[in-house]
Structures are given as structure tokens and as C-alpha cells.
Amino acid sequence: MSDDWDVVVVGGGGAGLAAATSAAERGASVLLFESETELGGSTQLSAGMFTAAGTSVQAALGVDDSAERFFQHYMDLNSWQLNPGLIAAFCEHSGPTLEWLIGLGVEIPAKVSGNAHTPGLCQAGVEDVWRGHVPKDQGYGVVQVLARAARTRGAEVVLNTRVERLIEQDGRVAGVVADGIEVRAGAVVVASGGFARDPDLLARYYPAALRAGEDLFVVAADGSRGDHLRFGEQVGAGVTGDGWGLLLPTAYFQRLHHWQSGFPPKSRIYVNGAGRRFMDEDASYAVSSGVIERQGGTAWAVFDERARLSLPAGYAHWDAGHVLAEAEAGRTLRAGSLEELAGKAGIPADALVATVRRWNEQLPSGHDPEFLRHRTLASKGATGHPDPIGEPPFYAARLLPAELVCTHAGLEIDARAAVRDERGEVIDGLFAAGEAGAGVLGQRYVGGGNAVANALTMGRLAGINAAA
Ligand SMILES: Cc1cc2nc3c(=O)[nH]c(=O)nc-3n(C[C@H](O)[C@H](O)[C@H](O)COP(=O)(O)OP(=O)(O)OC[C@H]3O[C@@H](n4cnc5c(N)ncnc54)[C@H](O)[C@@H]3O)c2cc1C
């Protein structure tokens, strides 16, 4: 291994592997450090869903889309709080990045997908047109393809080695220190992921996550320790995305991502402290946590015995036996009547009874005029209507945003993925992407696949520009 590299990449998740591959593709000598014993980070744990506009997959399915349309939607959903130049670049490059991945071997069939686990095109978020591209073998498949591509293009990968700090020389970033050894480079790409696993950084940059208290659980990869923020502090980088991240709503008893925890029964309603429904229970995770938070801390999933018994086996938490055990322990509320259930939950009994009566007259017959849940179920490919809620005992499980997926505060980047300092000036030799490079992931999670698209699109741009 030579001491001098054109590009050093810190982190071997989606952003780092995309950066290493694209830099190596342009002839740069590339060295990538990964702190863990294997590549992949959160990207490897993800569904790999990728939001992108104007792709061949969309075209094959007759979806008319463009970068301009994506840009408008993205900015509007984020109340124009993001930097338009950066978002325009992200939207323009998302489609070409997806095509690049397909060219490298990522398979995304041109067929409609009803969820994040079925390869194809789906609508998993709040996108105005279908933009959620689900690859075969999910995030794992994407990581495998990129790791192979990086290596065959000559990038060297060092595992089990955590970069400790950046080297600065003559006013620019000139390398990194890892395992106490200085490694010099023409440019450094910080792609070390987020800070979901560092409670102190959460308190400082994403305190909303800590509101879940003991119910908080983190599904982001172990390497999400926030090293990017420490590197940034070292060189006076600007930080943006403060206060934002992705928390998913869960029942208090969930402790794992829903692939392992399971899914609540279709025949359920969510009610607030007034005993009223307040949302489409299947609304996208992009917005549902925000809606639940607006209920002042009280939200319940209400269902009956038939729904409990309908839960499929094989999941850790949304399982008939587990729910029963929670009820026996008194943590999930259970009662022989809705009035009694309301009393235990501290919500008005007449309101809960009226809410359940309205529900029973509506969606079980196929239509939800207030919250339009029938539309969401249809876009997920659900067949058959939910059942009425009427078979005692009745259950109420507390709901809250408590599953921490990713964090958005990081080093401020421009449209080239170059890091800016606190004055807005580019720091020579320093690039960042993924959760480490901030400005693309905003207040609102835009469409299923926002974070993977950010990691791979901005990672690829970081690699191209670092190599240049
Ligand atoms: C369970 C789960 C499901 C998800 N599903 C989706 C989805 O389907 N679509 C979507 O858009 N988003 C999804 N997300 C979010 C998305 O996966 C991430 O935001 C994105 O992949 C982050 O990519 P990244 O490259 O920035 O970070 P990572 O993929 O986490 O990679 C960062 C890497 O850097 C390494 N590292 C950290 N510090 C150092 C250091 N000092 N030196 C060397 N290496 C270091 C880490 O070990 C890690 O491997 C999901 C997340 C999770 C956890």
C-alpha cells in the first residue's frame, strides 16, 4: 500500500462505496477505510429503496416524471428550507445514479411493487408520482454490487479500521489518521454515516429521538457514531440538518425493525386522547411520526381479539402470543368492552364507542371518507377490506415515534458534495456524502428511498469531484 492516494474514503456504506467506485472509475487511486469488520453500514440493513426521477424503470411502467418535477415536490414538502442548488443537483443526478447502479449490476425489475420488500417500483412515501425503486436483494444486494465494482476498479478496502481524525496542511484537508498512522491523500470523502448510536450527539442534534425515553430503539448500524461531526469540528465545517432525522412510529413493545418485529393487524384503528381517529393508520412513515407527535403524546392502536388472532406467526413482537403476554403483564390494555378499555386508557368512553361504530360502518365496507385509508391500502396492493372491530376482548397498545432509523445533521455540502466551512466557503480537499454530508435529507422524508438515494447519489458525486 502506498502512502499517497488520490482519494481516501472514510466509511464503507452506500455513500462511501459509491464514492470509491466513481472515483476509481475516473482513474483515481482510492483507499477506503471501514471501521467495522464488514462493509455495508446502515445501507446493508436497508431495503435499498431508492427514490429517483426520470428512470428507465419508471418509463417502462409508463410513469411520466422528471428531475424538475421531483425538485418542486422535494422543495415544497420541505417548506423550501433546503438549499435549492443542492436539491436541484440531487434531483438531477438521482436518475442517472440509478441507471449507473443498474449498469453495475443492481437489478430493479420494471414491475409494480406493493412494498419495500418486493423488487420493482412502488410508492412507499409521500411522493407525487411513483419513485420508490426497490432493488433485488435490497440494501445487501446494492452493497455487494458496489463492493465488487469498487474492488474491480482498483479501490483498496481496509476493514476494521476506524479513522480517528483528518490531516490539515496548508489550509486544505490532506489525508486522515487511522490506527495512529498518517495516510496522505489529494482529497478525503467523509461517508461515515450518522450518529444514531451516540446519545450525547442525539441530545445535541436530534433531541426529538430522546423524547421516546426507554422506548427508543436504534436500528441504524453500529458504526453510526457521529464521527463526521467530530471531523467537522476539527476543521471548522458548517453543520446543517440540525434537529432532523427519521423516527418511525411503533408500538411501545417493538424493539426491532418491522422486518423482525412484524406488522400490526390490518383491522386496527389509531385513536388519540380524545378517543378519535386522527390519521390514516397506513400513512407513509415519511409523515406518520409527525402526525402522532401532534396528538400530545397520547396515541393508541385499538384492535380486537379477531385481529390479534389474525397476526401471522414468525415475527418477534406483532405476534398473537406476544401481544397476549403483554396484555397478561398489564402493559397492553385489555378489556371486555370498549367502555372499559376507554376507562383503562383514560379516554372518553362515548367517543371511543362512536369512533369504533363509525369505523365499522366505513372501511370494513371498503371506504374511509375521512382519512382515505382505502387508497393507501390499494397502493400497497392489499386485497380484502379490514374486519370490523367487535369481538372482545379489545386491546389498546400505546404508539409513539421510537424507532430511530437515520439522522440528518451533518457536514454542510454544496452541489458537488464539497464541504463548506462556517462562513460558507469550500474546505479544499474535503467532501462528504450520505448521512455524514448534510443538506439533502431535510425536515420531511421525501418518498420511500430518500436516504439511500441521498447516500448513493451524493456519494457518487463526491467520488467524481474528489477524483477531479
Ligand atoms: C433497517 C434500516 C432500513 C432502512 N431502509 C431504507 C430504505 O429502504 N431506503 C432508504 O432510503 N433509507 C433506508 N434506511 C436509511 C438508509 O439506509 C441510510 O440513511 C443510508 O443507507 C446511509 O448511508 P451512509 O453511507 O451514509 O451510511 P452507512 O451505510 O451507515 O455507512 C457508513 C459506514 O461508515 C462506517 N464508519 C463510521 N465511522 C467510521 C470511521 N471513523 N472510520 C471508518 N469507517 C467508519 C460505518 O461502520 C458504516 O459502515 C434504512 C436504515 C435502516 C437502519
Side-chain angles (χ1 to χ4, degrees):
M1 199 192 298
S2 131
D3 278 344
D4 291 308
W5 299 82
D6 294 326
V7 179
V8 161
V9 178
V10 184
L17 287 169
T21 305
S22 63
E25 231 167 38
R26 277 156 186 77
S29 60
V30 179
L31 178 64
L32 180 148
F33 286 109
E34 166 55 51
S35 59
E36 311 304 298
T37 52
E38 63 173 359
L39 293 170
S42 288
T43 310
Q44 167 143 277
L45 305 176
S46 79
M49 197 196 292
F50 187 122
T51 191
T55 69
S56 56
V57 179
Q58 289 176 311
L61 290 168
V63 176
D64 184 21
D65 198 11
S66 66
E68 295 73 40
R69 185 173 177 169
F70 187 19
F71 169 78
Q72 188 69 40
H73 183 63
Y74 205 105
M75 293 301 290
D76 289 348
L77 269 184
N78 279 293
S79 309
W80 284 74
Q81 293 176 65
L82 302 176
N83 180 319
L86 173 60
I87 301 307
F90 167 67
C91 294
E92 272 159 28
H93 289 279
S94 64
T97 299
L98 191 94
E99 302 303 335
W100 176 69
L101 290 169
I102 291 172
L104 292 176
V106 172
E107 289 178 46
I108 305 174
K111 62 181 190 192
V112 169
S113 153
N115 58 54
H117 311 271
T118 310
L121 187 69
C122 80
Q123 184 185 31
V126 287
E127 52 268 56
D128 49 345
V129 299
W130 287 38
R131 291 198 183 98
H133 297 73
V134 186
K136 183 171 168 283
D137 300 328
Q138 310 199 317
Y140 175 82
V142 173
V143 165
Q144 294 308 305
V145 166
L146 278 173
R148 196 170 50 240
R151 285 187 168 117
T152 54
R153 283 157 183 73
E156 284 202 35
V157 171
V158 179
L159 297 175
N160 218 4
T161 305
R162 183 174 175 185
V163 169
E164 291 144 29
R165 61 183 177 84
L166 304 176
I167 298 172
E168 284 182 279
Q169 193 180 346
D170 303 331
R172 58 176 292 126
V173 171
V176 301
V177 177
D179 274 350
I181 297 168
E182 288 198 355
V183 180
R184 301 269 157 183
V188 173
V189 177
V190 176
S192 51
F195 56 91
R197 297 219 170 249
D198 186 305
D200 292 338
L201 289 174
L202 284 177
R204 183 157 158 208
Y205 292 108
Y206 191 30
L210 300 178
R211 285 208 289 271
E214 286 185 351
D215 294 317
L216 178 72
F217 65 100
V218 179
V219 292
D222 291 344
S224 311
R225 304 184 198 92
D227 284 352
H228 62 299
L229 291 163
R230 298 182 189 97
F231 300 145
E233 214 166 274
Q234 195 199 322
V235 296
V239 172
T240 189
D242 201 344
W244 295 334
L246 182 64
L247 275 170
L248 302 187
T250 62
Y252 73 89
F253 53 68
Q254 284 175 245
R255 275 287 169 272
L256 300 166
H257 193 48
H258 53 249
W259 301 353
Q260 289 117 25
S261 261
F263 301 85
K266 185 159 89 174
S267 305
R268 72 188 188 286
I269 54 172
Y270 294 164
V271 301
N272 60 16
R276 304 257 321 249
R277 280 181 78 208
F278 57 90
M279 68 184 291
D280 164 0
E281 289 79 0
D282 288 306
S284 166
Y285 54 83
V287 293
S288 48
S289 279
V291 179
I292 288 173
E293 268 180 358
R294 292 279 297 164
Q295 305 311 310
T298 308
W300 301 93
V302 172
F303 50 97
D304 69 2
E305 183 68 346
R306 174 154 59 159
R308 181 183 74 80
L309 293 173
S310 74
L311 288 165
Y315 291 105
H317 299 128
W318 277 109
D319 160 84
H322 187 80
V323 172
L324 186 63
E326 287 296 307
E328 298 284 330
R331 291 186 290 263
T332 289
L333 307 182
R334 179 175 54 177
S337 69
L338 289 170
E339 289 83 350
E340 190 190 343
L341 191 74
K344 288 185 172 180
I347 59 182
D350 54 347
L352 181 64
V353 169
T355 297
V356 171
R357 183 183 43 73
R358 280 201 304 280
W359 158 265
N360 286 347
E361 290 164 2
Q362 294 172 350
L363 198 55
S365 314
H367 198 64
D368 177 13
E370 244 181 307
F371 297 103
L372 306 181
R373 187 173 163 204
H374 53 281
R375 284 198 201 168
T376 318
L377 286 169
S379 79
K380 290 183 184 212
T383 51
H385 306 317
D387 297 317
I389 296 173
E391 202 174 291
F394 300 99
Y395 299 87
R398 196 165 43 83
L399 283 178
L400 74 170
E403 174 179 345
L404 180 54
V405 178
C406 59
T407 55
H408 298 182
L411 310 186
E412 183 186 343
I413 54 170
D414 66 11
R416 298 169 59 247
V419 176
R420 294 165 162 226
D421 67 16
E422 283 148 354
R423 302 162 304 158
E425 294 290 312
V426 163
I427 300 177
D428 284 336
L430 188 62
F431 297 82
E435 288 179 51
V440 173
L441 294 177
Q443 177 187 29
R444 191 64 58 225
Y445 199 76
V446 182
N450 198 168
V452 164
N454 169 53
L456 300 177
T457 304
M458 299 316 292
R460 177 167 171 256
L461 288 181
I464 291 170
N465 292 312

